[in-house]
């Protein structure tokens, strides 16, 4: 899925990006050239319009080689997917202009006041992945009328995308993993947002006929995030295997620990393969049902998506914690690939969506 030269480029820039706290210009250039942020955008808007499983395989591969890159592409491509829910004329004009990158927050931590032609928007949101290179920020806000502000009764939440010029970025992403995602907070102060920049993220509100936009967003998000964990976990176990091979050159280590630890590693790698098979089969089945219009069967399968992704992530986390303490001092060195993948995985698993 990724050519050897692109893999080499990603590997060359991974450590630099982590230290810089943002993806390198070289990697970002490739991401835009290869349309990675437009995985789910309709072809008529200039996107790739991939089927779910094909897009997820690419995301898994990116996460394998660089967790920060995979995570950034996943979150930004997921936000660009909103193209199928916004005003058609606006979407065409915007995405055909090139190098559009959405990203933001799903929390309703803003306030929108209806005004003629749109809304007056104010708020602060956390964790906008890819903040330094976003062209537009997406956010949710509670809509208030004058009476609602006073009484603060029933909440009506709407989604918006806001041009970068209206946004203040706060450089507060100070995590020990996924550093290059640059997932900073952002705020908007009393900005006018036209009605055309407001949207509803649900199949019934889709403005484009592509099948993807009839796929509920929750299982879509569960799948796309999970394949990142799967990619990072697979890279981690491959690095542990290299670690064990090197340590096995010590006859005493091999005699005392080798057999047991290689078996432990094998169990982790087998689990990853089983999980990958199960998740992609579920992905393909739900997609096939959607093609046939079998929404009833999918309603049941979406529950399985939620259960399996959370269950398998818990098991992967357990495997990784058990293996990490068996890898010696190299596992504690912050500049080692083994340590960096561990930190990326741990940071990624703090995302609220797949918490069990």
């Amino acid at each position: 899925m990724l050519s050897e030269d692109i893999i080499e480029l990603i590997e060359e820039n991974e450590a630099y990006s982590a230290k810089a706290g943002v993806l390198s210009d070289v990697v970002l250039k490739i991401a835009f050239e290869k349309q990675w942020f437009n995985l789910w955008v309709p072809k008529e808007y200039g996107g790739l319009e991939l089927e779910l499983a094909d897009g997820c395989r690419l995301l898994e591969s990116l996460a394998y080689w660089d967790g920060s890159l995979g995570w950034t592409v996943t979150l930004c491509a997921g936000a660009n997917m909103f193209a199928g829910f916004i005003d058609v004329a606006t979407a065409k004009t915007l995405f055909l202009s090139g190098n559009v990158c959405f990203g933001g927050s799903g929390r309703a931590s803003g306030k929108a006041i209806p005004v003629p032609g749109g809304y007056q928007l104010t708020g602060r949101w956390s964790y906008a992945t890819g903040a330094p290179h976003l062209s537009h920020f997406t956010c949710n806000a509670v809509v208030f009328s004058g009476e609602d502000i006073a009484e603060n009764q029933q909440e009506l939440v709407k989604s918006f995308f806001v041009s970068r010029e209206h946004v203040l970025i706060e450089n507060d992403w100070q995590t020990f993993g996924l550093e290059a995602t640059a997932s900073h907070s952002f705020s908007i102060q009393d900005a006018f947002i036209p009605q055309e920049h407001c949207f509803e993220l649900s199949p019934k509100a889709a403005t484009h006929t592509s099948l993807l936009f009839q796929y509920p967003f929750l299982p879509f998000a569960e799948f796309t995030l999970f394949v990142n964990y799967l990619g990072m976990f697979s890279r981690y176990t491959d690095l542990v295997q290299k670690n064990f091979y090197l340590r096995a050159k010590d006859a005493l280590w091999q005699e005392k620990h080798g057999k047991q630890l290689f078996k432990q590693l094998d169990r982790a790698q087998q689990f990853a393969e089983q999980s990958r098979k199960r998740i992609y089969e579920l992905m393909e089945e739900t997609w096939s049902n959607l093609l046939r219009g079998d929404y009833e069967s999918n309603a049941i399968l979406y529950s399985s998506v939620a259960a399996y992704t959370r269950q398998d992530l818990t098991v992967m986390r357990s495997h990784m914690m058990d293996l990490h303490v068996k890898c010696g001092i190299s596992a504690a060195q912050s500049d080692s690939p083994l340590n960096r993948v561990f930190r990326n995985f741990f940071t990624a698993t703090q995302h609220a969506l797949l918490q069990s």
Side-chain angles (χ1 to χ4, degrees):
M1 178 145 310
L2 293 175
S3 64
E4 288 299 323
D5 58 327
I6 288 180
I7 291 172
E8 184 177 349
L9 183 146
I10 292 171
E11 287 189 291
E12 288 175 352
N13 283 268
E14 183 186 12
Y16 170 83
S17 295
K19 187 174 182 179
V22 64
L23 293 176
S24 73
D25 290 341
V26 175
V27 170
L28 278 173
K29 184 174 182 289
I30 293 294
F32 280 112
E33 287 178 352
K34 295 297 183 181
Q35 294 277 61
W36 290 341
F37 296 129
N38 288 334
L39 291 181
W40 319 114
V41 173
K43 290 180 179 178
E44 66 184 277
Y45 297 170
L48 299 179
E49 198 175 337
L50 295 185
E51 292 189 1
L52 183 58
D54 291 337
C56 282
R57 288 188 182 95
L58 175 59
L59 296 177
E60 183 188 348
S61 184
L62 291 173
Y64 178 92
W65 293 110
D66 181 353
S68 282
L69 176 60
W71 194 260
T72 301
V73 172
T74 297
L75 273 292
C76 292
N80 273 17
M81 189 267 283
F82 300 163
F85 298 91
I86 66 179
D87 174 73
V88 173
T90 301
K92 282 185 177 180
T93 301
L94 188 61
F95 283 91
L96 287 173
S97 68
N99 286 4
V100 174
C101 189
F102 280 22
S105 170
R107 291 184 180 275
S109 53
K111 178 177 72 176
I113 300 175
V115 296
Y119 298 86
Q120 214 67 29
L121 180 64
T122 296
R124 181 183 183 278
W125 297 264
S126 298
Y127 314 132
T129 295
H133 56 80
L134 298 180
S135 62
H136 296 78
F137 287 72
T138 61
C139 57
N140 289 334
V142 179
V143 178
F144 292 99
S145 67
E147 295 78 14
D148 290 327
I149 293 173
E151 299 175 8
N152 195 27
Q153 294 180 342
Q154 185 176 1
E155 290 188 345
L156 172 64
V157 176
K158 284 189 175 290
S159 301
F160 302 87
F161 66 95
V162 182
S163 177
R164 184 184 186 87
E165 65 194 58
H166 298 300
V167 173
L168 175 65
I169 298 173
E170 304 175 19
N171 293 312
D172 59 355
W173 182 249
Q174 301 296 326
T175 55
F176 83 151
L178 294 185
E179 302 98 316
T181 65
S183 302
H184 303 302
S185 300
F186 66 99
S187 59
I188 299 169
Q189 183 62 44
D190 200 28
F192 172 72
I193 310 301
Q195 178 65 43
E196 294 78 16
H197 289 207
C198 175
F199 62 96
E200 180 184 347
L201 194 59
S202 70
K204 62 180 174 55
T207 57
H208 193 276
T209 58
S210 175
L211 190 65
L212 178 67
F213 306 123
Q214 293 304 308
Y215 202 99
F217 187 72
L218 181 57
F220 167 84
E222 289 166 338
F223 275 136
T224 55
L225 284 193
F226 183 79
V227 295
N228 274 263
Y229 300 131
L230 194 54
M232 285 185 260
F233 182 75
S234 297
R235 174 77 183 281
Y236 181 81
T237 56
D238 286 349
L239 290 171
V240 171
Q241 183 169 293
K242 290 182 180 179
N243 175 283
F244 285 178
Y245 281 153
L246 286 173
R247 301 181 78 194
K249 292 179 180 179
D250 180 337
L252 183 60
W253 183 92
Q254 174 61 23
E255 181 182 350
K256 188 175 181 180
H257 304 291
K259 187 175 182 180
Q260 174 189 348
L261 292 186
F262 275 111
K263 282 185 177 180
Q264 182 179 345
L265 174 61
D266 184 60
R267 287 193 295 270
Q269 291 176 320
Q270 285 188 24
F271 177 80
E273 287 303 313
Q274 293 164 2
S275 178
R276 179 178 291 105
K277 183 174 185 295
R278 175 167 57 236
I279 290 299
Y280 279 100
E281 284 178 351
L282 192 52
M283 208 180 292
E284 297 279 11
E285 186 175 1
T286 58
W287 189 262
S288 295
N289 287 343
L290 198 62
L291 278 170
R292 296 196 304 272
D294 188 356
Y295 299 102
E296 187 174 339
S297 295
N298 268 359
I300 299 171
L301 290 176
Y302 293 146
S303 297
S304 297
V305 175
Y308 283 138
T309 51
R310 286 162 178 80
Q311 168 190 302
D312 286 9
L313 177 56
T314 298
V315 175
M316 284 192 290
R317 186 190 292 120
S318 179
H319 275 301
M320 188 176 284
M321 294 299 290
D322 287 344
L323 285 168
H324 203 68
V325 296
K326 312 291 176 50
C327 292
I329 197 65
S330 64
Q333 294 175 330
S334 61
D335 61 346
S336 74
L338 185 61
N339 185 277
R340 186 161 53 249
V341 177
F342 176 86
R343 290 184 282 112
N344 285 342
F345 183 89
F346 179 87
T347 304
T349 60
Q350 302 314 297
H351 193 284
L353 182 60
L354 296 184
Q355 294 291 337
S356 56

